[in-house]
Amino acid sequence: PQSGEPVFPQLMAVINDVREILVETKEHTITLVRGEKEWSVKEKSGYRADVEKVKSALVGLAELRFLDPKTSNPELYERLGLMSKEKDGSTSLTMTLKTGASTPMAQVVLGNQKPAKSNPRLSEIYIRKPDDPQTWLVTGNLRLDRLPEEWLDKEITALPTKLVRHVRVDHRR
C-alpha cells in the first residue's frame, strides 16, 4: 500500500452491515452486538451501548490511512505495542468487525498511539493485521475503550422536565 491509502478500502461501503464488534485485550474481551434498534454490550448482560462510541469506533477504523511500513520482525513488536495479547506484558488491542458470518470483515491489532505530527486532531497508530508480520504506522482518529463498562450508555432515562410531576427516591437494602 502507498502512503495515504485506506487500511480497509472497502469498509466504509459496507459499514452498515457490521453486526458485531470484538475489542480484545489481555485482560478483557468486549463484544458489542447490534440488535434491531440498538447496540449492546454482551459482557454487561446486553445493556445498551453508547451509540456515539460505537459509531466513532467504526468510522475511525474505516478512515485509518497508511503512513509508513515498519518492521516485520516479531521480536520488535513489543516496542510498537503490537505483541500478541496472549503474551505477558502485552498492551495491544485487537479489533474485529463481523457481519454475522464466521469470517471477519476487518481485523487489526492496534499498538502504541501518539498525536500526529501533521494534524494534532489525529493520531499516529502502530498496527498489524493478525495474519501478516508486517507492521505499519497509520494515521486516523481511533480511540477505543478497554473496559466493558466504558462502552455503556450512561443515560438511564431521558424525560422532559415538563412531563415530571413527582419524584420519589426509595432507599431499600
Side-chain angles (χ1 to χ4, degrees), residues 22-31 43-44 85 92-94 145-151:
L22 246 60
V23 178
E24 300 171 283
T25 65
K26 183 167 180 56
E27 295 83 21
H28 299 282
T29 296
I30 304 161
T31 311
E43 290 74 17
K44 291 296 181 180
K85 65 182 180 292
S92 70
L93 181 146
T94 302
D145 292 316
R146 294 175 168 265
L147 300 172
E149 54 271 13
E150 293 174 329
W151 286 92

Side-chain angles (χ1 to χ4, degrees), residues 98-157:
K98 296 181 178 181
T99 59
S102 59
T103 306
M105 66 187 317
Q107 188 172 35
V108 67
V109 179
L110 301 159
N112 296 342
Q113 190 168 313
K114 61 185 177 184
K117 296 172 187 157
S118 61
N119 183 343
R121 289 181 288 164
L122 298 177
S123 296
E124 290 179 354
I125 309 164
Y126 291 101
I127 69 161
R128 70 180 171 84
K129 294 186 180 178
D131 53 352
D132 185 359
Q134 180 64 53
T135 62
W136 294 88
L137 181 62
V138 300
T139 186
N141 190 3
L142 182 62
R143 288 174 179 73
L144 298 174
D145 292 316
R146 294 175 168 265
L147 300 172
E149 54 271 13
E150 293 174 329
W151 286 92
L152 297 176
D153 185 351
K154 303 291 193 271
E155 186 175 308
I156 296 172
T157 187

Side-chain angles (χ1 to χ4, degrees), residues 66-83:
F66 288 107
L67 277 181
D68 295 312
K70 296 300 178 185
T71 187
S72 58
N73 181 353
E75 294 176 9
L76 300 176
Y77 287 174
E78 184 176 4
R79 291 183 189 177
L80 306 178
L82 291 171
M83 287 183 359

